[in-house]
Amino acid sequence: METKRETHQFKTEVQQLLNLIINSLYSNKEIFLRELISNASDAIDKLRFKSQIDPEILEGDTEFKIKLASDPEKRTLTVSDNGIGMTYDEVMENIGTIAKSGTAAFLKALEQSQKGNSITPEMIGQFGVGFYSSFIVADKVTLLTRPAGSEKATKWESRGDGSYSIEETTKDSRGTTIILHLKRPEKEEQDFTDQWTIQSIVKQHSDFVRYPILMDIEREEPIPEKELVLDKNGKPIGKKTRKVVRQETLNSMKAIWAKDKKEVSDKEYEEFYKHVSHDWNAPLEHLHIKFEGTTEYTALLYIPSKMPLEMLMPEYKHGIQLYCKRVFIMDNCKELMPDYLRFVGGVVDAPDLNLNISREILQKDPLVRNIRRNLVKKVLELLAGMEKDKYEKFYNEFGRILKLGIHIDLENQDKIADLVRYKTTKSNDRLISLKEYIDNMQEGQEAIYYITGDDLSSLINSPSLERLKEKEYEVLLMTDPIDEWVVQSLPKYREKPLKSAEKGDLDLGKIDKKKKDEYTALFDYIRSSLDTKIKEVKPSTRLKDSVACLSGDTYDPSAYMKRILKSSGQKLPEVKRVLELNMDHPVIAKIKALFEENKNDPVLKDYIDLLFDMALISEGDRVENPSRFSKMIGDLMSSALKVQAPGVKE
């Protein structure tokens, strides 16, 4: 019977990745074993989950295990499991192309890394490319796999040299076996065929894996007295010990979350985090809690120290690992943690849950809702209690995600508002809380002022802030797109209203009514001239030094919101802006004089258009006709320069 066998070239980005892995100066080579063991554990998890619906798939083999075997003479290390296995097509999809989009994300992250072509340990686990860390230590990798419930097996093999072979084969049992043909170790490097080296790596990185990691261990043991050869005086002759080989379990398999937290060291918490998260960085903080009462459940949650580079991607899977009486139920359980806390990882063990619970049932289950409510409360308390420096480190990584909670979690809105931080016009580039802002408010100041935009420098220098600065009022500088939704959802904080510096009446001073009346005719003329672009022209209480700015009514979308929606392809109903003019500025006085002298002078229309364009630019928007704007500025400069340049005729 002919078997199917094919040879394929790796995709370009996959080969790039392999070249980097093979040639990288990698300081933590043992990471490959942690990744292979973790993959084996995941494969068994998947089978256990599937067997809850289809018990026959186990075919009587219910002793789940991961086996390691080394052969120093052949220089091989084998990792095998009796998990769910893979079909021929699954091998092609998951091994041949490296977890679909994971490779591209990995390479993009590598390009952005300050370390150039150096692969860091955390990168390996983050992007689902852990299997390929095998090529750090092996010059050939062979994979044999047979899916549960099938007689067909698949063999995959590659030297990491640009191609791989894949063929149908036979295998005695379900699961996956990976054979690493190891490179010769350099001087003072670890030998990954050495049993003590393997034991040490497993103990350090995989001790918490919930399935036994088995290995045949050779030891010296005393020879039983009855088997000893004795001389005529009854004394033993020859060796008193002999070498024996016994299968041993290398990991403790202790559910760390079920232990009293007084019995768990910081190092154990850290290693367990690395196991469940595939993140080589130590966590920033952990939370180990046991809830007792009508219902009982235990949670061990972690706050990462670094944002996974794929967290902002649409396909990012987040959530908590869910257990019932230490039996794994599901991964990425989003129902236990809201989206704005999606950076939180860890495990929850709820003994009262049904083992066959589905995601649809989870969404409606009152126990799950209760667990979620309590976990959110505890996480927010943890963040609120962090030391200042540690919290600032957290906020720089995850602040933009946390702020989502103000918009989507009304129950905890006040607690989340306590946690947000912003730079301000007075903070000297330091992040401050809303409470700090209120504590620093000037006497007589009744509102929290803010301005939104995508460029910090433009916001600080916005004309809309001139009168606020004159009064020494601090202004929050909001530069994340999500801030637009934050201010919509948070109309006030601790009874102080939030006011946009560029919308509505700021009540910063009274307009001189007599002077306003003098400018009424000019302002009406400007409004009619710009009728298609603005809805009103009025004297400004915002401006002190600048001549013009644009503003909106209190409930109008901001200029930044309009740009956000436009860039995302969304159409917004046309909302005209208000043109505010500084009546104390000499330019406005001269335009008034020109208007009163000859309102039909074509130059007047040019100046009006120029005022509008200047206001647009000051809020970070683009002018409609840049070349015309540039020419007008050039003409104005030319007429303003009284000294004639040498060789230039009037």
Side-chain angles (χ1 to χ4, degrees), residues 45 52 210-211 321-323 326-331:
D45 280 342
Q52 294 170 28
R210 52 190 162 273
Y211 308 111
Q321 291 186 359
L322 181 61
Y323 289 78
R326 304 185 194 180
V327 175
F328 176 78
I329 296 179
M330 68 176 67
D331 211 348

Side-chain angles (χ1 to χ4, degrees), residues 32 44 53 81 137 154 165 205 227 229 262 345 355 463 488 621:
F32 82 93
I44 297 173
I53 301 169
D81 65 70
V137 296
T154 302
S165 65
H205 298 302
E227 296 181 21
V229 178
K262 295 178 182 177
L355 279 172
Q488 286 182 35
D621 216 335

Side-chain angles (χ1 to χ4, degrees), residues 258-272:
K259 297 167 71 174
D260 189 311
K261 56 185 175 183
K262 295 178 182 177
E263 301 174 5
V264 186
S265 68
D266 289 342
K267 187 65 178 175
E268 287 177 305
Y269 279 126
E270 182 179 320
E271 288 302 327
F272 183 68

